[in-house]
Amino acid sequence: MRLAGTMTSALSKGYHKLLQPLHLSAVSFRCLSNNGPPKMPPCDFTPEKYTGLPYEDVVRIRKSNLSAVMTYYKKPILVHQGHMQWVFDHEGKRYLDLFAGIVTVSVGHCHPKVTEAAKKQMERLWHTTNIYLHSPIHTYAEKLASRMPGKLKVVFLCNSGSEANDVAMFMARVHTGNFDIISLRSGYHGANPYSLGITGHSSYKPAVANGFGCHMTMCPDVFRGVWGGSHCRDSPVQSIRTCSCSPGSCEAKDNYIEQLRETLDTSAGKKVAGFFAEPMMGVGGVVQYPKNFLKEAYEIIRAKGGVCISDEVQTGFGRTGSNYWGFENHEVMPDIVTLAKGIGNGFPMAAVVTTEEIVKSFTQALYFNTFGGNPMACAIGSAVLDAIDEDGLQNNCAVVGTHLLLELAKLRDKYEIVGDVRGKGLMIGVEMVKDKKSLKPLPAEEMSLIWEHCKDNGVLLGKGGLYSNTFRIKPPMCITKEDADFAVAVFESALIRHQQMISR
């Protein structure tokens, strides 16, 4: 499916040129080894001169006075300033940010509408607890609820995706009176002691007790998993696996559903509290499930007395392009939805949205959050929702995201180490392998070679997947086709360099 057309939505003042789709040929940006580095698209923003701590002092303080927080790259970037899809380091070098602060900067770094809303609210009131009435809190709750389908109309505001998922687990157990929670292997739902139980990555699990009553079923990965074919995904790009399914059937979906049934029969009680799934895995490597997997999974869970929770921390707010919420791509209606990251364009904010029926059960016990519904967060959240609409960003995700996916798929067909290209809208994964026959993950040192080359040439990528061999591309939703072509050119130049290094 190829999406086309131009954006006609009203755009924020001063940024219409930045956000208009640019119909430029990808060929003009492609880099061959003798043509030099790809040319970065223009930007009319000039960052302020950096006057902060010297780089060496920042590194020293990081080692001595901050907890053990990981950094990206051999020489970590000292980020100084941001502007829409761009970030600038302390030396003024510009980077195309295709990871968006881990899928958090949704409408653009320092978006003018969001920045102005923050300034106005800061001058009026920074904080009051939600035990009082304050207009921005209620304005935001109504605005967010209006974008939710069905009976999903009651909003709980909190501070992070991990906290939102903790609250959702608590809700599910209180409402159903059951205890067991089911999630998917390779999925990520946070690192709090409660939500850690439904996170399927050993890297995040310390050797301490966590997540009692949590059970995981097989990840329905149609590229690397046991089953999968060439027609499984709701994506412009399918996997390279062959498919022998008859029209209207999907053996991969049927087999992964059978694994869910087996998990319920062997690991959980007769009744369960709930089922957690991202509509498309984020940290897990942008894994997409077979069509109708979630639909059948929801039916099975509800038959067991449980509720269905959609973790929209990375997939929400139009990022997938075709729909505002990721679960809508699967034609399902969750009972609880968790939101964070892009909800505040980088401001600490999260939410749980559910039904009045579940809320009545949950409020039997007092739940309180000091900073949930902070006036600053709500003013910013409202501005983010407005910017998504006014800048036509959902449509931009569909147009630019599909273009980027199809261009990356050409590299998959050209290079043996590009195993899979997948995703929807501007949530994209590129899984790297040693070869397409074995599908063994590309070794970490080779991943780093490509990753570092992209950074050195002005493109920032994330990494993820169970084996950290998937490049995660989830930029601010305002990127253009010109930006996408530049990113593909830089990525291809990194693949060429990889070939040259390995062949030596």
Side-chain angles (χ1 to χ4, degrees):
M1 177 179 66
R2 181 181 292 271
L3 298 176
T6 58
M7 292 164 55
T8 57
S9 300
L11 303 175
S12 293
K13 186 176 181 180
Y15 289 86
H16 62 284
K17 292 182 179 178
L18 184 68
L19 294 176
Q20 285 177 340
L22 300 175
H23 302 281
L24 299 177
S25 171
V27 176
S28 64
F29 286 92
R30 285 296 162 83
C31 170
L32 299 177
S33 58
N34 61 344
N35 289 340
K39 185 178 178 182
M40 184 176 285
C43 173
D44 60 2
F45 177 81
T46 302
E48 300 172 359
K49 184 178 179 180
Y50 178 74
T51 58
L53 291 170
Y55 185 91
E56 295 74 15
D57 287 353
V58 172
V59 173
R60 173 183 55 79
I61 294 168
R62 179 88 172 199
K63 292 180 178 178
S64 302
N65 302 115
L66 284 172
S67 62
V69 181
M70 65 176 289
T71 55
Y72 266 15
Y73 305 113
K74 292 177 181 178
K75 183 179 180 181
I77 299 171
L78 175 51
V79 178
H80 166 48
Q81 200 164 354
H83 172 73
M84 301 306 281
Q85 65 268 53
W86 307 102
V87 293
F88 301 82
D89 70 12
H90 67 296
E91 296 177 330
K93 182 174 180 179
R94 179 161 55 105
Y95 300 88
L96 179 61
D97 185 5
L98 293 190
F99 202 30
I102 314 184
V103 208
T104 301
V105 179
S106 51
V107 299
H109 291 281
C110 300
H111 189 288
K113 187 179 189 71
V114 179
T115 300
E116 183 61 26
K119 286 180 179 178
K120 285 184 178 180
Q121 185 60 43
M122 183 177 286
E123 292 171 351
R124 185 178 299 116
L125 183 69
W126 284 31
H127 174 73
T128 181
T129 74
N130 53 28
I131 61 176
Y132 301 119
L133 304 181
H134 185 58
S135 180
I137 301 171
H138 300 80
T139 297
Y140 181 71
E142 183 178 51
K143 191 180 291 187
L144 179 61
S146 71
R147 286 162 170 77
M148 285 286 175
K151 298 180 180 180
L152 294 166
K153 297 302 178 188
V154 186
V155 177
F156 283 77
L157 295 169
C158 46
N159 303 297
S160 73
S162 295
E163 183 186 2
N165 284 330
D166 271 5
V167 172
M169 291 175 72
F170 191 18
M171 277 184 178
R173 284 170 167 162
V174 170
H175 176 67
T176 64
N178 303 325
F179 188 63
D180 290 319
I181 302 280
I182 311 298
S183 63
L184 301 176
R185 296 176 194 167
S186 299
Y188 179 83
H189 302 282
N192 288 356
Y194 215 44
S195 59
L196 197 58
I198 53 174
T199 289
H201 274 255
S202 63
S203 300
Y204 298 94
K205 290 180 176 286
V208 297
N210 63 78
F212 294 108
C214 297
H215 314 280
M216 294 179 193
T217 190
M218 185 180 285
C219 174
D221 182 348
V222 300
F223 171 71
R224 180 168 294 282
V226 181
W227 304 285
S230 56
H231 303 288
C232 290
R233 302 194 292 224
D234 176 23
S235 173
V237 181
Q238 296 293 332
S239 77
I240 58 176
R241 299 175 77 162
T242 58
C243 184
S244 58
C245 297
S246 58
S249 67
C250 180
E251 294 177 9
K253 182 265 296 176
D254 293 342
N255 287 325
Y256 287 120
I257 284 293
E258 192 58 35
Q259 287 294 309
L260 171 60
R261 294 184 189 276
E262 186 173 315
T263 299
L264 292 168
D265 290 342
T266 59
S267 301
K270 291 184 178 180
K271 295 288 185 179
V272 300
F275 172 69
F276 263 87
E278 303 162 271
M280 191 189 313
M281 285 188 179
V283 175
V286 198
V287 173
Q288 290 181 281
Y289 322 131
K291 297 170 188 174
N292 295 319
F293 171 81
L294 279 188
K295 186 178 290 187
E296 290 195 26
Y298 274 30
E299 292 173 358
I300 292 167
I301 293 299
R302 285 173 173 147
K304 287 278 190 175
V307 296
C308 299
I309 302 103
S310 183
D311 181 336
E312 296 276 348
V313 170
Q314 296 193 28
T315 54
F317 300 98
R319 178 164 290 279
T320 63
S322 57
N323 286 292
Y324 205 82
W325 307 113
F327 66 79
E328 293 176 302
N329 295 320
H330 298 270
E331 298 180 350
V332 296
M333 181 65 71
D335 304 292
I336 303 172
V337 178
T338 58
L339 309 168
K341 290 190 180 288
I343 192 174
N345 201 45
F347 195 89
M349 185 181 188
V352 180
V353 186
T354 188
T355 66
E356 187 175 348
E357 180 186 7
I358 291 176
V359 167
K360 286 180 180 178
S361 301
F362 186 60
T363 52
Q364 294 175 20
L366 179 64
Y367 174 78
F368 182 76
N369 182 311
T370 300
F371 292 103
N374 170 270
M376 289 288 296
C378 291
I380 289 169
S382 287
V384 168
L385 294 177
D386 291 343
I388 292 170
D389 292 345
E390 293 169 12
D391 294 357
L393 294 183
Q394 181 181 334
N395 185 59
N396 197 57
C397 286
V399 174
V400 178
T402 300
H403 174 76
L404 181 52
L405 274 162
L406 294 173
E407 291 300 310
L408 288 168
K410 294 176 185 177
L411 300 187
R412 180 201 62 185
D413 297 340
K414 186 175 180 180
Y415 295 93
E416 183 69 11
I417 62 171
V418 183
D420 195 30
V421 172
R422 54 183 177 255
K424 191 166 186 177
L426 285 175
M427 188 159 179
I428 298 170
V430 180
E431 183 162 351
M432 309 298 292
V433 297
K434 284 184 69 70
D435 59 81
K436 289 185 172 71
K437 184 176 181 181
S438 70
L439 299 188
K440 290 182 179 179
L442 192 69
E445 60 272 17
E446 295 183 44
M447 284 289 294
S448 292
L449 182 69
I450 297 168
W451 194 41
E452 294 278 355
H453 177 91
C454 289
K455 183 265 289 185
D456 291 342
N457 285 274
V459 174
L460 304 182
L461 301 172
K463 284 194 293 186
L466 193 59
Y467 308 105
S468 296
N469 68 316
T470 299
F471 289 115
R472 297 168 63 195
I473 301 173
K474 304 163 186 182
M477 298 189 297
C478 58
I479 71 163
T480 66
K481 283 187 176 180
E482 185 179 13
D483 299 329
D485 290 336
F486 167 68
V488 172
V490 169
F491 187 60
E492 183 170 16
S493 71
L495 297 176
I496 292 170
R497 184 168 183 264
H498 173 271
Q499 285 184 330
Q500 294 170 341
M501 296 289 287
I502 297 302
S503 62
R504 288 178 183 175

